[in-house]
Amino acid sequence: MDVKTPALSPEPAPEPSQRPLPDKAGWRSEAPARPSLEEVHATVRVPSTGHWVRRLLAFAGPGYMVSVGYMDPGNWATDIAGGSQFGYTLLSVILLSNLMAILLQALAARLGIAADRDLAQACRDTYSRPVNFMLWLVCEAAIIACDLAEVIGTAIALQLLFGIPLIGGALIAALDAFLLLLLMNRSFRFLEAFVVVLLIVIASCFAIQVVAAAPPVAEILGGFAPSREIVTNPAMLYIAIGIIGATVMPHNLYLHSSIVQTRAYPRNEEGRRTAIRWATADSTLALMLALFVNAAILIVAAAVFHGSGHTEVAEIGDAYRLLSPLLGLSIASTLLAVALLASGINSTVTATLAGQIVMEGFLRLRMPMWARRLVTRGIAIIPVIAVTAIYGERGTAQLLVLSQVVLSMQLPFAVIPLVRFVSDRRKMGEFAISRAWAAAAWIVAGVIVILNVKLLFDTITG
């Protein structure tokens, strides 16, 4: 398949004042062999002057594309299970994971803008070949786990809305590669607009449901306060780590460090500093939207299911069947399915781009996007079809939650290199983060590692 990409005029050699960094001693090479996502690199114009709103809107887009991964179908299973079983208690975990996400995505944007490298290219330019190969395998596993959640979510949405069997819906989901090709063929800005429209649909669906559920505000506020029971209760901890795995997505760190480079900001010190500021604002605002959506899913599950004694609801299909009767709003179940379909479609965009970035960054291997999408989606479809055929719908729901725990287990392999790079002054020069921010970032990385070790220990010991 021949995919047209926007023609890019060759850029002149950078002047000394426009070099990526004043000191490149920390990297093996002056610059990567090819820019990250070369076909759209520096294609989105940004104004250098004018009202701050115009400049923010020019940089707005990458943050919302990243936020897609923080409200994908994998989040739904963990949020619904957490809300129905434990009420509002796990809202504190959603808030904590969202704060972690805001910090880590800001660091990913800083790396991409300041170093002219995405996270995969930075790893390749720092670590040995065996280490890079291991990191690539781990990241591919995370992308496949994420894609698995998207396949299941899209298949469930198609079944709920149109009665299509899960296996048929999974096969239909494989065809979304052509949707992405169509969007990328228009422009990267058009792709961002498509993503934002679907995000608005998702947020609107849940806003209506929250209003209809009328949850008690005091209990919601109490749920945002941390509880010791989250750590001491193995069942609650399992869901909590699933929420963290579904919220802080490892492939999003690779994605964000790449797509921020689509902006045509001046490649000099002042231009980079400004770009980092606006890119951080973009991702922070976008992730606040993700916080609202994830919290809304759990709040609706807590108010409708936990509040009525249906604490066993952990599957999206059960939530769909019970939501309208229990909530007393006939359109509630349809809104849930529409939001789920929009989420599944949206998530395909970020997973595909992340897969391309990871493959090109670690291996310098370029594959047509349609081929990359079909390969990744094909690998994800196999376990869905097998589990559905053997265990039915309940098996796919458990597989959905498990995929998010797998994602959480991959997080340290993306977070630790990222924090190491952005806190290294030899690599980042004046753009290295301060000691205070480095301490906060290492604390986040430590929390992720400790929670994963705790989960692994509990799983092994039963």
Side-chain angles (χ1 to χ4, degrees):
M1 181 178 293
D2 184 21
V3 181
K4 297 180 180 179
T5 56
L8 299 178
S9 57
E11 295 184 1
E15 298 294 331
S17 62
Q18 293 182 316
R19 288 176 182 168
L21 288 173
D23 179 12
K24 305 292 278 188
W27 304 107
R28 287 179 185 164
S29 57
E30 179 71 16
R34 308 175 80 160
S36 186
L37 290 181
E38 184 177 17
E39 63 272 19
V40 293
H41 182 78
T43 57
V44 179
R45 297 182 59 184
V46 295
S48 57
T49 58
H51 198 275
W52 67 268
V53 175
R54 288 185 62 242
R55 304 181 74 183
L56 176 61
L57 290 176
F59 279 94
Y64 290 91
M65 293 188 67
V66 167
S67 73
V68 168
Y70 294 94
M71 57 183 93
D72 74 342
N75 296 65
W76 295 45
T78 52
D79 291 341
I80 290 174
S84 65
Q85 291 182 47
F86 308 112
Y88 304 96
T89 305
L90 293 179
L91 281 174
S92 59
V93 177
I94 291 180
L95 177 61
L96 174 64
S97 60
N98 203 80
L99 293 176
M100 289 181 177
I102 289 175
L103 173 59
L104 294 176
Q105 295 300 160
L107 299 183
R110 176 178 291 266
L111 175 67
I113 293 171
D116 274 342
R117 287 166 170 80
D118 60 55
L119 182 55
Q121 291 172 332
C123 289
R124 181 184 176 88
D125 216 2
T126 302
Y127 300 122
S128 64
R129 182 173 296 181
V131 171
N132 274 306
F133 186 73
M134 184 273 293
L135 290 174
W136 171 70
L137 287 178
V138 168
C139 191
E140 287 289 352
I143 292 174
I144 291 172
C146 178
D147 211 51
L148 178 66
E150 294 158 14
V151 170
I152 296 174
T154 303
I156 291 175
L158 291 173
Q159 182 190 53
L160 297 178
L161 288 172
F162 308 110
I164 300 174
L166 283 177
I167 294 178
L171 294 174
I172 292 174
L175 302 178
D176 62 13
F178 301 103
L179 171 64
L180 180 57
L181 288 172
L182 175 64
L183 295 172
M184 286 291 288
N185 196 37
R186 297 291 296 270
S187 72
F188 196 78
R189 200 65 166 153
F190 188 86
L191 177 65
E192 291 174 343
F194 176 82
V195 167
V196 170
V197 168
L198 290 183
L199 288 177
I200 293 173
V201 170
I202 296 169
S204 300
C205 289
F206 281 108
I208 294 172
Q209 293 180 41
V210 170
V211 171
V217 176
E219 292 189 28
I220 292 175
L221 295 178
F224 282 111
S227 171
R228 182 180 179 183
E229 186 184 3
I230 296 174
V231 178
T232 58
N233 185 334
M236 191 178 292
L237 179 64
Y238 182 83
I239 298 294
I241 293 185
I243 289 175
I244 294 176
T247 304
V248 185
M249 307 288 278
H251 74 273
N252 266 346
L253 302 178
Y254 294 91
L255 175 69
H256 200 190
S257 61
S258 174
I259 59 178
V260 290
Q261 299 178 52
T262 59
R263 270 43 187 178
Y265 50 83
R267 261 57 177 181
N268 54 37
E269 182 175 340
E270 181 58 31
R272 295 178 196 280
R273 198 173 301 280
T274 301
I276 290 172
R277 183 168 63 250
W278 290 115
T280 302
D282 168 49
S283 63
T284 301
L285 291 173
L287 290 175
M288 292 306 294
L289 173 64
L291 172 62
F292 166 77
V293 171
N294 285 323
I297 297 173
L298 189 143
I299 289 171
V300 170
V304 178
F305 304 135
H306 186 80
S308 61
H310 293 79
T311 58
E312 76 287 350
V313 177
E315 301 179 15
I316 296 174
D318 291 339
Y320 174 84
R321 287 185 285 271
L322 293 172
L323 189 58
S324 284
L326 294 177
L327 191 57
L329 181 67
S330 59
I331 200 175
S333 294
T334 302
L335 290 175
L336 180 73
V338 169
L340 179 62
L341 182 60
S343 176
I345 294 174
N346 239 354
S347 298
T348 63
V349 174
T350 58
T352 301
L353 289 178
Q356 179 182 349
I357 291 162
V358 166
M359 183 172 288
E360 292 181 7
F362 279 115
L363 306 182
R364 292 184 181 171
L365 176 63
R366 298 179 64 86
M367 179 184 291
M369 193 169 292
W370 64 269
R372 166 75 201 184
R373 188 62 192 163
L374 290 179
V375 168
T376 307
R377 182 51 58 95
I379 294 174
I381 284 175
I382 293 174
V384 175
I385 293 177
V387 171
T388 303
I390 298 173
Y391 299 104
E393 295 182 21
R394 188 169 300 275
T396 58
Q398 294 173 350
L399 187 62
L400 188 60
V401 176
L402 179 61
S403 70
Q404 303 312 300
V405 177
V406 171
L407 277 171
S408 182
M409 299 298 291
Q410 314 303 321
L411 271 174
F413 298 98
V415 172
I416 292 176
L418 173 64
V419 176
R420 178 189 172 192
F421 295 150
V422 296
S423 58
D424 189 341
R425 189 164 294 274
R426 293 181 307 148
K427 294 181 180 296
M428 299 290 289
E430 295 299 318
F431 297 101
I433 59 176
S434 66
R435 290 184 178 180
W437 282 113
W442 281 117
I443 289 174
V444 168
V447 168
I448 290 173
V449 171
I450 291 171
L451 288 178
N452 287 333
V453 170
K454 168 71 172 169
L455 175 66
L456 185 61
F457 176 80
D458 288 343
T459 302
I460 294 175
T461 59

